[in-house]
Amino acid sequence: QVQLVESGGGLVQPGGSLRLSCAASGTIFRRCTMGWYRQAPGKQRELVATITSDDSTNYVDFVKGRFTISRDNAKNTVYLQMNRLIPEDTAVYYCNLHSRLYVVDAWGKGTLVTVSS
């Protein structure tokens, strides 16, 4: 059973930056696609960015040029660097680990990001 623990959320002013981290347990991390999703109040959870096992990245349009996803396989950790934050980025951010090979789709409990002056 893979466990994911997010950290790094908090309150930040518009235009500021935060870096989220997600640490995974187990030994399959390096072979899995990792993703960041978010859920704003009253809205459905939505994809933010993904990174595959070979470091191929994908971003949704509303974060392109502002957010960067990366991974450190030696630390079993995926990151989301968020720059130029806007109030619309306020949400609970969730980490996801996905693997068809290992039949795993795991979620963390989320970390709250609040962008407000």
Side-chain angles (χ1 to χ4, degrees):
Q1 184 96 13
V2 174
Q3 293 188 345
L4 304 173
V5 179
E6 302 99 333
S7 61
L11 173 64
V12 62
Q13 291 187 343
S17 299
L18 280 176
R19 189 175 82 153
L20 306 183
S21 300
C22 171
S25 65
T27 59
I28 66 172
F29 175 85
R30 66 178 62 243
R31 300 179 185 88
C32 298
T33 293
M34 300 299 299
W36 285 99
Y37 292 72
R38 71 186 187 186
Q39 187 167 16
K43 295 187 177 182
Q44 290 188 334
R45 190 174 299 187
E46 60 184 0
L47 173 67
V48 175
T50 59
I51 183 166
T52 65
S53 58
D54 60 358
D55 288 338
S56 177
T57 59
N58 180 59
Y59 300 91
V60 294
D61 286 346
F62 53 77
V63 304
K64 283 181 179 177
R66 298 191 300 126
F67 292 9
T68 302
I69 189 170
S70 61
R71 65 192 299 160
D72 185 336
N73 290 333
K75 296 182 178 179
N76 271 20
T77 300
V78 62
Y79 304 98
L80 185 68
Q81 177 67 44
M82 305 186 295
N83 299 326
R84 304 203 311 272
L85 284 160
I86 60 177
E88 289 76 13
D89 294 320
T90 295
V92 178
Y93 284 72
Y94 296 91
C95 177
N96 173 260
L97 179 148
H98 179 76
S99 171
R100 292 181 181 177
L101 176 64
Y102 296 102
V103 194
V104 174
D105 191 61
W107 293 89
K109 293 183 178 181
T111 185
L112 177 62
V113 172
T114 303
V115 184
S116 176
S117 56

